[in-house]
Amino acid sequence: MKILIVEDEQGLRDNMLSYLSGDNNVCESCGNLAAATAKLASYSYDFVLLDIGLPDGEGFTLLRYLKDEMRSEAVIIISARNSLDDRIKGLDIGADDYLVKPFHLAELKARIFAVFRRKASNSNNKLVFNEIAIDLNGRTVTINGTEMVLTRKEYDMLLYLIANKGKVVAKTAIAEHLWGDEMDMHDNFDFLYSHVKNLRKKILDLTTNDYLKSVYGIGYKFTDR
């Protein structure tokens, strides 16, 4: 998953960045509202972990921005503010969850998974697309019961595409999801094409269904139609 951490307390921000990156997530962070707004104007994420008490404004402003722009990022508010009014306000504006500080990082990770499962309309720790099953906890993929061996990038790409099944996903969106800001250093998408080619081949080695469709000039769609 690609996660943006918006937290002005550097120690907590660094701890979250280190902990969540250890689970092979692509994590980026910033410590104020202006930097977070700039990040979201340029990139998309799966999750935003949002402190609402920022030095240059309230995180609620960012939440309204995401809602107004009809963005798909899931948002978990992380805040020391525990008033009923703040919690209701955050959830009303569009946050998916509200976690009060101090919290254990393991609980934060569990809530991220819970929100992800809800958004994928899944009640357990698996994402299933026809004969393809992804175990989110084990980071394993099986097709018709046979395990498919994937690199970290291939796994993350498959998870992202299935989470967006049926939609055309732009090449830039996939690249940003997998590499974050690093993609700005690349002049072309050759690195992405290589991963797509390998992922498609591995899927076709275990099924005759070619789910990964190229959409000329735009990107890719994961679909069975």
Side-chain angles (χ1 to χ4, degrees), residues 20-164:
L20 295 173
S21 296
D23 281 338
N24 293 324
N25 297 305
V26 175
C27 296
E28 299 170 7
S29 67
C30 48
N32 58 57
L33 186 60
T37 304
K39 283 271 190 187
L40 285 164
S42 301
Y43 306 107
S44 60
Y45 299 86
D46 294 310
F47 271 92
V48 178
L49 304 179
L50 178 63
D51 186 5
I52 54 176
L54 297 169
D56 55 344
E58 289 202 327
F60 292 130
T61 303
L62 201 65
L63 204 51
R64 288 194 184 91
Y65 167 79
L66 292 172
K67 184 176 183 180
D68 291 344
E69 295 293 318
M70 301 180 69
R71 298 280 292 261
S72 62
E73 281 88 349
V75 178
I76 297 179
I77 291 177
I78 46 174
S79 177
R81 290 157 55 171
N82 192 27
S83 74
L84 181 61
D85 286 346
D86 281 330
R87 283 181 282 151
I88 290 175
K89 183 177 181 180
L91 295 171
D92 278 349
I93 294 175
D96 296 276
D97 200 355
Y98 194 113
L99 184 59
V100 177
K101 299 176 185 175
F103 53 80
H104 197 290
L105 291 173
E107 182 182 1
L108 174 62
K109 184 170 76 171
R111 289 185 183 236
I112 290 173
F113 270 107
V115 171
F116 187 82
R117 287 196 305 270
R118 284 202 300 271
K119 283 188 168 287
S121 300
N122 207 319
S123 60
N124 53 38
N125 289 316
K126 285 188 176 180
L127 282 182
V128 177
F129 182 84
N130 294 349
E131 67 271 50
I132 302 174
I134 301 177
D135 184 326
L136 297 174
N137 283 341
R139 292 180 62 83
T140 58
V141 180
T142 57
I143 295 183
N144 291 319
T146 300
E147 184 170 353
M148 180 167 58
V149 178
L150 299 174
T151 66
R152 171 187 163 184
K153 293 299 184 190
E154 290 164 359
Y155 172 88
D156 289 341
M157 181 185 297
L158 179 62
L159 185 64
Y160 184 60
L161 289 169
I162 288 184
N164 290 280

Side-chain angles (χ1 to χ4, degrees), residues 192-225:
L192 176 63
Y193 299 146
S194 175
H195 286 285
V196 170
K197 178 182 176 182
N198 292 338
L199 176 60
R200 174 182 279 133
K201 181 181 183 305
K202 289 182 179 181
I203 293 172
L204 288 173
D205 284 344
L206 296 175
T207 178
T208 57
N209 296 315
D210 186 6
Y211 294 123
L212 216 172
K213 314 292 186 186
S214 297
V215 180
Y216 182 76
I218 302 176
Y220 300 93
K221 179 193 285 189
F222 206 88
T223 180
D224 55 0
R225 296 179 180 175

